[in-house]
Amino acid sequence: MTRFSNIALAAAATLCPLSAGADNLTTTVTNSYGLPGGLIDMPTAEMAPDGQLSATAFYFDGFGRSTLSFQITPWLSGSFRYSGTEDLTPQFSTYYDRSFDLKLRLLKEGTYTPAVAIGLQDFLGTGLLGAEYLVASKSFGDRLKVSGGFGWGRLGSRNNFDGFGTRDPFSFAGVGTGGDVDTSNWFRGDIGVFGGFTYDITDRLTFAAEYSSDGYDIEQAAGVFRRGSPYNFALTYKLTPDANLRVYSLYGEKVGVSLSFGLNPKNMPVPGGIEQAPLPVAVRDPESARDLGWATQPTARNALSEQLQDMLAKDQLDLVGLELSDTTAHVAINNTTYDQPAQALGRTARIMTRALPASVETFRITFSEKGGMPGTTVTLRRSDLERLEHAPADQTLAAASFDDSLRYGGMPAPVVDRFPRFNWAIAPFTRISLFDPDNPVRADVALRFEAQVELGKGWVADGGTSVKLFGNLDKTTQVSNSRLPRVRSDAAIYAREDGPRLDWLTLSKYHRLAPDIFARATVGYLEQMYAGASAEVLWRPVNSRLAIGGEVNYVQPRDFDSGFGLRSRRTVSGTIPEFNGHASIYYDFGNGFHGQLDAGRYLAGDWGATISLDREFENGWRIGAFATKTDVSAQDFGEGSFDKGIRITAPVSWLLGTPTRQSPTAVIRSLTRDGGQRLNVRGRLYETVRPSRQTDIADSWGKFWR
């Protein structure tokens, strides 16, 4: 096939209307770069199902790529990749590289028109895999999909023609610290043409073929492998609807293999959950609602309190306070079980219909936060609960009202012996270090005991201690090239101690300063590396998407054995300032997207801001990214240029199908450096009070009757 005919074929696939049945072009298959799409090295305009989280491991002789991709919205996907290439440079036997990608769908597939997408490959990294592309894809019937497009950078290094402007060639000498966004090369230089197709032989087996525009110039120059042909082929076997095994024939020279797994937070393994069904609403006799005889009995209120407390305990809810009048009941509950706050609210309301006298028409339910600090109060009419039990849940939401608890005097009178309240847990956990060039994955497995005592009136004592069982974090040999005080990069020194360590030990006071205003003060051993004091204030209206907060901390480094001792403010490479802190803005954009902006002074004394964006699902999953820029230069920061990463929160209830508030979070950083590092304070106000705010309760209202 001539060079001209290759260009003409791909251009036609990209630009010309094609007659076929419309399809939304979603796929659970990923290519060798871990991107949604059925071709091999080349991209397509296909997208994964909305919310899909995919992990792909790809290998052929001399190359390995591990990619985590997330379908952020139906039209935007993002990927984080960790690649290893053998014998690429004389300095390393395997050269490891981190990269980020974005792919944006510009046009959906129509009956006669293809879907069109634009993408950035390795736009935030060293640029070794850097490329940009414009690609179109079209389905023909149920089995055939055709794609073609134009590529720049790596994807413009073969079968190309002159493009716009010039592009700086990749150079290891020019990589520097990496991690910066360099827009000067985007869509510049030679333009390559690529194309291919996939055909579903059966429901499980798919064949793919492509013409590649990646010349692998850097790898060929280094002698990693020889690129004998631009044609690649693959067979994909669908192991499950979200797991695929692929075998490749690559460039006429190599055989490769990949394995990909997908998970969609929208799809629960146990739909609806397997928790015990709640008690039904007790419907009153209309005449009984006027009977106030119970109110004249001296012991009635104590008996009702005990009955309500026992019934709530069977649903794993704690009764904190209770006030009763002839027609109104105000209860305060502590929800330590249900990750969906509306579920705790609904179960409490059902129990109140069964435990309280028929004359009580108005139910007020206040969420008790840490140490008994009052949160939001939800008011429901008993007659509405009786009327709407079998109606759609949104009708009950419309009948509920949400107010700051201070409107009703804060917490109702505490029940007898409510405080102090002691909770404890013991469980294994892991500490993980990623992207050390000598060993990309290091981990310790440890056992932790933690305990918490709620003393009442907002006072909480909290502690955790752990012991290492096994692992290799202490073998880390990488030396930080940061020119800042070593506020985080000396983590390996802390990991060398195998004996029991004190992870944290604090005393906190939570308080309501005024309606919609919360406060926290914490002293003690705040985290593994620092002890000191932390104070915070938060403005968070009940029904607002906006919250504003401020925090100030005074800290001193702890001894490396994580015991009770403290070090001076001297670190390995400098002196840390005692004070740090931030002003923060939180905003709920709707549709599950939450943003946060923190601006202030970080642990190393640098000033700057952190921006975060998370997509949150109604079942508690959270997937997001963050980036921090401070007044520290890329050279002073060291490798990576600035702090950035991905975080994933996976609720245990999603997996088990039973309610629990345990939701471990994994943070994937390109590297841990010293710039842009915040103190890790437990129990910060926004996440503490957020579950009982109106917007979050409303988001989980589908669980109200569960």
Side-chain angles (χ1 to χ4, degrees):
M1 183 177 288
T2 67
R3 177 169 177 258
F4 176 78
S5 60
N6 289 334
I7 295 174
L9 176 62
T14 305
L15 302 175
C16 294
L18 301 174
S19 176
D23 186 81
N24 59 12
L25 285 176
T26 58
T27 180
T28 59
V29 178
T30 57
N31 70 2
S32 69
Y33 280 85
L35 306 179
L39 296 184
I40 295 93
D41 271 2
M42 299 297 104
T44 72
E46 297 170 280
M47 293 287 178
D50 182 38
Q52 185 88 348
L53 188 65
S54 303
T56 302
F58 166 80
Y59 179 79
F60 76 96
D61 188 22
F63 288 84
R65 301 186 191 116
S66 298
T67 307
L68 184 69
S69 292
F70 177 52
Q71 194 65 39
I72 304 168
T73 72
W75 43 267
L76 179 66
S77 69
S79 302
F80 171 73
R81 183 179 308 103
Y82 194 54
S83 306
T85 306
E86 297 175 8
D87 303 320
L88 187 62
T89 67
Q91 293 89 348
F92 302 99
S93 59
T94 300
Y95 180 80
Y96 292 105
D97 184 56
R98 297 166 297 277
S99 55
F100 292 86
D101 297 3
L102 284 176
K103 181 166 74 171
L104 174 69
R105 177 179 282 176
L106 301 176
L107 296 175
K108 293 177 65 176
E109 183 185 34
T111 303
Y112 302 105
T113 56
V116 178
I118 191 171
L120 301 172
Q121 181 173 292
D122 193 5
F123 76 98
L124 189 59
T126 62
L128 175 63
L129 303 177
E132 303 83 48
Y133 57 86
L134 179 69
V135 62
S137 299
K138 188 73 183 74
S139 59
F140 294 85
D142 296 329
R143 295 186 179 273
L144 177 64
K145 295 177 183 177
V146 178
S147 297
F150 302 108
W152 291 259
R154 283 192 75 104
L155 300 185
S157 56
R158 185 180 176 92
N159 190 40
N160 53 30
F161 57 92
D162 292 340
F164 308 102
T166 59
R167 188 183 189 98
D168 295 332
F170 176 83
S171 168
F172 285 103
V175 167
T177 57
D180 274 334
V181 179
D182 181 10
T183 61
S184 63
N185 276 340
W186 289 3
F187 301 97
R188 299 177 69 87
D190 293 341
I191 302 174
V193 180
F194 60 86
F197 70 90
T198 63
Y199 183 78
D200 294 336
I201 301 171
T202 69
D203 290 342
R204 286 182 176 267
L205 190 64
T206 300
F207 173 75
E210 73 176 14
Y211 183 88
S212 170
S213 62
D214 187 347
Y216 279 83
D217 295 343
I218 298 170
E219 292 79 9
Q220 291 199 93
V224 177
F225 85 110
R226 189 176 73 88
R227 185 185 187 276
S229 167
Y231 298 102
N232 297 321
F233 306 94
L235 277 175
T236 304
Y237 183 73
K238 190 178 291 292
L239 301 171
T240 71
D242 293 311
N244 299 283
L245 176 66
R246 307 192 82 190
V247 179
Y248 307 87
S249 172
L250 299 165
Y251 303 107
E253 300 286 336
K254 299 290 185 180
V255 174
V257 64
S258 73
L259 185 62
S260 64
F261 294 94
L263 176 153
N264 199 310
K266 292 183 174 182
N267 305 325
M268 294 185 66
V270 185
I274 59 174
E275 66 267 32
Q276 181 179 345
L279 294 170
V281 170
V283 180
R284 298 167 294 176
D285 182 294
E287 295 299 323
S288 65
R290 294 191 289 270
D291 183 5
L292 297 176
W294 68 272
T296 63
Q297 300 175 19
T299 61
R301 283 175 170 78
N302 288 337
L304 290 170
S305 175
E306 292 177 3
Q307 181 180 0
L308 188 59
Q309 193 167 1
D310 290 343
M311 294 179 72
L312 285 169
K314 291 179 180 179
D315 264 358
Q316 302 179 69
L317 291 165
D318 292 334
L319 180 64
V320 176
L322 172 65
E323 289 181 354
L324 272 176
S325 69
D326 296 346
T327 60
T328 300
H330 185 184
V331 304
I333 60 166
N334 183 25
N335 170 31
T336 60
T337 302
Y338 299 95
D339 55 335
Q340 303 295 310
Q343 189 171 14
L345 182 69
R347 290 189 171 230
T348 301
R350 286 173 181 259
I351 289 171
M352 291 175 72
T353 68
R354 307 189 71 82
L356 298 179
S359 67
V360 178
E361 166 65 11
T362 302
F363 294 169
R364 293 196 179 104
I365 303 171
T366 293
F367 285 88
S368 174
E369 309 295 358
K370 284 185 178 291
M373 180 180 64
T376 298
T377 297
V378 183
T379 301
L380 295 160
R381 290 173 55 85
R382 188 173 186 167
S383 54
D384 288 335
L385 296 172
E386 295 169 342
R387 176 173 57 89
L388 298 173
E389 182 179 15
H390 302 293
D394 59 351
Q395 294 186 27
T396 314
L397 175 60
S401 64
F402 299 79
D403 298 286
D404 190 290
S405 58
L406 296 191
R407 175 179 174 182
Y408 302 106
M411 295 286 285
V415 298
V416 177
D417 298 329
R418 173 60 184 89
F419 296 105
R421 187 76 171 183
F422 180 77
N423 296 291
W424 66 276
I426 184 169
F429 73 102
T430 58
R431 297 184 180 98
I432 299 177
S433 173
L434 301 174
F435 314 129
D436 182 343
D438 296 326
N439 192 336
V441 180
R442 295 186 188 273
D444 281 350
V445 176
L447 189 67
R448 174 181 287 154
F449 172 80
E450 57 183 277
Q452 184 180 94
V453 182
E454 293 190 352
L455 303 171
K457 296 185 178 180
W459 288 97
V460 180
D462 195 6
T465 183
S466 63
V467 60
K468 175 181 172 180
L469 302 178
F470 58 88
N472 61 351
L473 279 182
D474 57 328
K475 306 300 182 184
T476 302
T477 58
Q478 186 182 20
V479 178
S480 171
N481 60 352
S482 171
R483 301 174 187 175
L484 299 172
R486 299 284 180 83
V487 296
R488 290 295 183 203
S489 59
D490 53 6
I493 304 176
Y494 285 90
R496 292 172 187 167
E497 182 64 42
D498 291 340
R501 67 178 65 191
L502 182 66
D503 294 331
W504 71 88
L505 182 63
T506 60
L507 178 65
S508 300
K509 168 64 172 172
Y510 292 85
H511 187 61
R512 297 297 309 276
L513 298 177
D516 301 324
I517 300 179
F518 303 79
R520 171 191 60 83
T522 304
V523 296
Y525 298 89
L526 302 174
E527 52 147 288
Q528 181 188 20
M529 295 184 180
Y530 294 97
S534 174
E536 182 185 9
V537 65
L538 177 74
W539 174 78
R540 178 69 159 95
V542 169
N543 59 355
S544 175
R545 295 183 180 273
L546 175 70
I548 299 174
E551 177 183 286
V552 61
N553 308 300
Y554 174 89
V555 297
Q556 189 169 339
R558 296 177 59 186
D559 280 347
F560 291 120
D561 63 1
S562 295
F564 290 97
L566 301 177
R567 293 184 284 135
S568 70
R569 293 190 297 111
R570 292 287 306 176
T571 68
V572 175
S573 61
T575 301
I576 70 164
E578 294 99 333
F579 288 98
N580 61 80
H582 289 77
S584 301
I585 299 175
Y586 313 85
Y587 193 76
D588 179 355
F589 292 97
N591 298 317
F593 287 92
H594 292 256
Q596 181 175 338
L597 176 65
D598 305 294
R601 194 185 199 195
Y602 294 83
L603 282 169
D606 47 334
W607 293 83
T610 301
I611 188 168
S612 310
L613 182 65
D614 296 86
R615 182 174 180 185
E616 303 183 4
F617 298 84
E618 292 181 1
N619 55 26
W621 271 90
R622 300 182 188 181
I623 302 171
F626 61 89
T628 300
K629 290 289 286 184
T630 70
D631 56 1
V632 172
S633 68
Q635 289 72 27
D636 287 344
F637 182 92
E639 186 178 354
S641 297
F642 62 95
D643 189 50
K644 51 193 171 291
I646 297 167
R647 57 192 179 200
I648 301 173
T649 298
V652 175
S653 61
W654 180 90
L655 179 64
L656 300 181
T658 56
T660 173
R661 297 192 70 174
Q662 296 181 32
S663 296
T665 297
V667 179
I668 303 173
R669 274 185 162 93
S670 58
L671 282 173
T672 298
R673 286 291 180 254
D674 299 305
Q677 297 299 313
R678 290 191 68 181
L679 188 68
N680 296 325
V681 182
R682 295 171 59 85
R684 281 190 166 113
L685 285 172
Y686 184 72
E687 291 300 329
T688 295
V689 306
R690 181 183 157 188
S692 70
R693 302 285 92 181
Q694 180 175 347
T695 52
D696 289 85
I697 296 176
D699 286 343
S700 66
W701 202 264
K703 282 278 194 176
F704 181 84
W705 291 118
R706 282 288 303 170

